[in-house]
């Protein structure tokens, strides 16, 4: 949830750290801070609020001198978001400064023990115990102090430590929280995400749980939990720095909405070879495939809603039972899972704590795990038996858009692939769907072009304080994502209901002027959805319909209309979500919300 960054080089560290924090700010934005060692002392600057406040306070870092340092942007877990709880935290003797992403679960006990030993705590954070433990265990050997400290910590953490020793030494340690090392020329770095590293280097090392590293300007050494040196492979980051910048758009979210046709193409096209779908990391034998008797999809938030779309498509094409389970629930259930279960885990970040826990739980019960992940080298990608990456590039806006559509794209391809391998799809249908997949980037672009005036509509409808989304079958699955987009960035109460369920309770809420967004793209149930429109209109509701662009019937009934191009039916959600993303974006803008950084949220939920 928080973002951490570290730098060791021969130029001023503060500006590099602040730039890194800007690139990690999507991970948390309650407060920001840096600690830089100038050889004589560790200088700390930290402040409540955005990284821009820190930049202003330090004159873009010019006030804080030194060549080695660490930085942090926070999503508060322990202690209110204020200047004191902002990271970095110092040891009592000022020799160590620490930044942390994750949760130290046994911090209360450690705090009590350290207090009894005479250490004074300044903040309410769990992190401060780490700084004092380092001081307690330091007897001239930093490596030993790190190992002894790590042995006392329970929970999840990626930690950055700067130590006033020589001209300043930099350490990074990882346990169940992402941490990546960047190899530069005459300078080296660490960060929670490659986004902070790509302006400097594309050569990275992914730390594993239990490993820690010492970084100097000349190089870095990685150690395992017992202190033995580990030789790590160097990976190349596949994307450029521009991919993580706004590129002229006012918000990352808008840029990412517009990127969707290209991201779809990047995800789908390389996997169609000679008109056949090929998944290089999912090549089960026929026997293994046929032994699968059920599929469980698990994820959180939008990734789960992508899974809801996937459920309809996989069941329809493959005739294999599919359930979609919230990872936060699945992890604590006693699910019926065995070797015949295929678990599909979906995650943009690959670091979501609940999803990781559900994966581990199901794997321990024998499930074969296929992960659909965007971030290369992430924890979920490492834990799964097979990985299919979505090639969406870096997603910076907290509200996912291209992450979601590329997840749906992979699920669609997977459904076609499985149906074919299981002998449940004829060749004519297969060829038709492959052709339709090639057409989808154009259709998604048309969905964008058809809805360029959604801004005006959003302005007119932005005063609503509660908005209902209704639909049936795949339309209902898309309603869930449409409602989430709206609520998380505009703070309007928005909820999705299966249209057929309305009369079992929810319709009691509908009154004169209520706004009901009705998704009516799923053709086989169109007439039923039209009846639901009649029902809510009879109670005074205003209807915003999302339907095929040439559907005259709905235009005559609805008050407003968001058109969607016609596509092969199973691919419609990919086009249909686009006007809803744009609607949410412009409603939030109209209401003056901070679109890329919605309140209380953060991307990459690495804590439970
Ligand atoms: C909503 C959103 C979240 C994420 C969820 C899972 O716009 O972004 O609901 O979808 O937190 O995150 P990942 O996909 O990283 O596991």
């Amino acid at each position: 949830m928080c973002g951490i960054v570290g730098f060791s080089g021969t130029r001023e560290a503060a500006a590099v750290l602040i730039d890194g924090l800007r690139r990690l700010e999507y991970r948390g934005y309650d407060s920001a801070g840096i600690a830089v060692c100038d050889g004589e002392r560790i200088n700390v600057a930290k402040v409540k609020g955005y990284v821009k406040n820190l930049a202003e306070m330090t004159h873009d870092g010019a006030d804080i001198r030194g060549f080695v340092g660490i930085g942090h942007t926070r999503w508060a877990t322990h202690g209110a978001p204020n200047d004191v709880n902002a990271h970095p935290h110092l040891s009592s003797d000022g020799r160590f400064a620490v930044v942390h992403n994750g949760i130290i679960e046994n911090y209360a006990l450690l705090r009590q023990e350290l207090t009894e030993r005479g250490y004074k705590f300044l903040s309410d954070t769990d992190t401060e115990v780490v700084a004092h433990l380092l001081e307690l265990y330091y007897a001239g050997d930093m490596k030993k102090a790190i190992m002894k400290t790590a042995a006392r910590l329970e929970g999840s953490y990626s930690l950055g430590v700067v130590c006033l020793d020589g001209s300043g030494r930099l350490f990074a340690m990882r346990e169940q929280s992402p941490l990546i090392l960047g190899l530069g020329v005459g300078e080296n770095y660490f960060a929670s995400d490659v986004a902070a590293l790509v302006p400097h280097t594309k050569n990275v090392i992914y730390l594993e749980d239990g490993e820690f590293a010492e970084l100097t300007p000349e190089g870095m050494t990685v150690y395992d939990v017992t202190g033995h040196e580990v030789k790590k492979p160097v990976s190349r980051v596949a994307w450029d720095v521009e991919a993580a910048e706004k590129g002229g758009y006012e918000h990352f979210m808008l840029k990412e909405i517009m990127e969707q046709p290209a991201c779809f193409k990047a995800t789908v096209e390389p996997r169609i070879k000679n008109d056949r779908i090929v998944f290089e990391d999912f090549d089960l034998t026929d026997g293994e495939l046929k032994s699968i008797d059920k599929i469980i999809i698990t994820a959180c938030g939008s990734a789960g809603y992508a899974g809801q779309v996937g459920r309809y498509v996989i069941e329809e094409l493959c005739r294999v039972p599919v359930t979609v389970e919230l990872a936060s629930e699945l992890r604590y259930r006693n699910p019926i899972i065995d070797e015949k279960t295929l678990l599909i885990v979906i995650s943009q970040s690959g670091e979501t704590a609940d999803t990781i826990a559900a994966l581990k739980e199901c794997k321990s019960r024998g499930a074969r795990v296929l992960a659909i992940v965007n971030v290369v080298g992430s924890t979920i990608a490492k834990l799964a038996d097979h990985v299919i990456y979505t090639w969406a590039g870096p997603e910076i806006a907290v509200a996912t858009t291209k992450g979601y559509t590329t997840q749906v794209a992979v699920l669609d391809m997977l459904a076609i692939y499985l149906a074919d391998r299981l002998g449940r799809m004829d060749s004519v249908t297969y060829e038709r769907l492959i052709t339709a997949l090639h057409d989808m980037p154009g259709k998604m672009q048309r969905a964008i072009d058809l809805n360029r005036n959604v801004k005006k509509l959003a302005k007119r409808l932005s005063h609503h304080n509660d908005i209902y989304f209704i639909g049936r079958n795949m339309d209902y699955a898309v309603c869930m994502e449409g409602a989430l987009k709206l609520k998380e960035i505009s703070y309007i109460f928005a909820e999705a209901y299966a249209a057929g369920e309305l009369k079992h309770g929810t319709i009691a809420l509908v009154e004169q002027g209520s706004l009901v967004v009705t998704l009516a793209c799923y053709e086989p149930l169109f007439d039923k959805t039209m009846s639901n429109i009649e029902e809510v209109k009879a109670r005074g509701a205003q209807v915003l319909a999302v339907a095929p662009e040439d559907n005259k019937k709905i235009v005559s009934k609805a008050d407003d209309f968001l058109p969607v191009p016609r596509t092969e039916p199973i691919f419609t959600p990919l086009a249909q979500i686009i006007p809803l993303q744009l609607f949410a974006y412009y409603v939030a803008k109209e209401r003056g919300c901070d679109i890329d950084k919605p309140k209380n949220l953060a991307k990459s939920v690495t804590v439970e």
Side-chain angles (χ1 to χ4, degrees), residues 300-303 346-350 352 355 398-400 407 484-485 488 603 605:
C300 300
S302 292
I346 310 174
S347 176
Q348 188 284 127
S349 64
T352 302
T355 312
V398 166
T400 182
Q407 288 160 356
L484 180 62
K485 282 289 89 63
E488 68 185 333
K603 211 164 180 74
V605 186

Side-chain angles (χ1 to χ4, degrees), residues 468-530:
Y468 311 103
F469 285 67
I470 62 167
R472 289 166 180 266
N473 195 278
M474 284 196 295
D475 286 339
Y476 172 46
V478 179
C479 281
M480 297 179 200
E481 174 60 6
L484 180 62
K485 282 289 89 63
L486 188 66
K487 78 180 113 182
E488 68 185 333
I489 61 167
S490 73
Y491 318 139
I492 293 173
F493 173 86
E495 208 48 81
Y497 300 98
E501 269 293 295
L502 270 188
K503 57 180 124 0
H504 299 290
T506 311
I507 202 161
L509 295 169
V510 174
E511 57 189 19
Q512 194 64 36
S514 296
L515 181 59
V516 180
V517 180
T518 309
L519 275 64
C521 289
Y522 185 68
E523 211 64 44
L525 295 176
F526 178 76
D527 289 339
K528 306 261 176 219
T529 308
M530 283 300 283

Side-chain angles (χ1 to χ4, degrees), residues 20 61 70 83 111 160 175 183 189 216 266 279 286 293 361 370 379 396 439 472 490 502 561 579 584 601:
I70 52 178
D83 293 356
R111 187 175 173 126
E175 181 63 43
L183 290 92
Y189 327 81
T216 64
F279 289 121
D286 286 345
D293 66 359
E361 180 60 37
L370 166 64
T379 305
I396 310 292
D439 290 346
R472 289 166 180 266
S490 73
L502 270 188
F561 182 50
L601 295 178

Side-chain angles (χ1 to χ4, degrees), residues 368-515:
R368 182 184 283 275
V369 181
L370 166 64
I372 299 175
V373 173
N374 193 40
V375 177
V376 175
S378 54
T379 305
I380 290 176
K382 284 185 196 143
L383 290 172
D385 300 310
H386 314 272
V387 188
I388 302 177
Y389 282 108
T390 52
W391 295 117
E395 192 178 60
I396 310 292
V398 166
T400 182
T401 51
K402 61 179 184 170
Y404 168 85
T405 43
T406 50
Q407 288 160 356
V408 173
V410 168
L411 288 162
D412 285 342
M413 290 185 89
L414 189 64
I416 300 167
Y417 170 86
L418 288 175
D420 176 55
R421 291 280 316 269
L422 292 167
R424 291 177 192 160
M425 182 178 285
D426 61 65
S427 58
V428 176
T429 310
Y430 189 89
E431 278 167 32
R432 196 188 74 232
L433 292 177
I434 297 292
T435 307
L437 273 176
H438 287 303
D439 290 346
M440 275 316 291
K443 302 274 184 187
M444 291 166 84
Q445 187 56 50
R446 180 152 178 82
I448 293 173
D449 296 339
L450 283 171
N451 289 284
R452 294 226 180 249
N453 67 354
V454 72
K455 192 174 175 176
K456 279 195 207 134
L457 181 71
K459 191 176 171 103
R460 187 154 52 72
L461 299 180
S462 63
H463 63 280
H464 284 275
N465 287 326
D466 35 24
I467 300 181
Y468 311 103
F469 285 67
I470 62 167
R472 289 166 180 266
N473 195 278
M474 284 196 295
D475 286 339
Y476 172 46
V478 179
C479 281
M480 297 179 200
E481 174 60 6
L484 180 62
K485 282 289 89 63
L486 188 66
K487 78 180 113 182
E488 68 185 333
I489 61 167
S490 73
Y491 318 139
I492 293 173
F493 173 86
E495 208 48 81
Y497 300 98
E501 269 293 295
L502 270 188
K503 57 180 124 0
H504 299 290
T506 311
I507 202 161
L509 295 169
V510 174
E511 57 189 19
Q512 194 64 36
S514 296
L515 181 59

Side-chain angles (χ1 to χ4, degrees), residues 9-25:
T10 51
R11 58 180 167 137
E12 294 296 338
V16 179
L17 296 170
I18 290 173
D19 179 65
L21 292 180
R22 280 201 188 98
R23 293 170 193 277
L24 296 178
E25 199 168 16

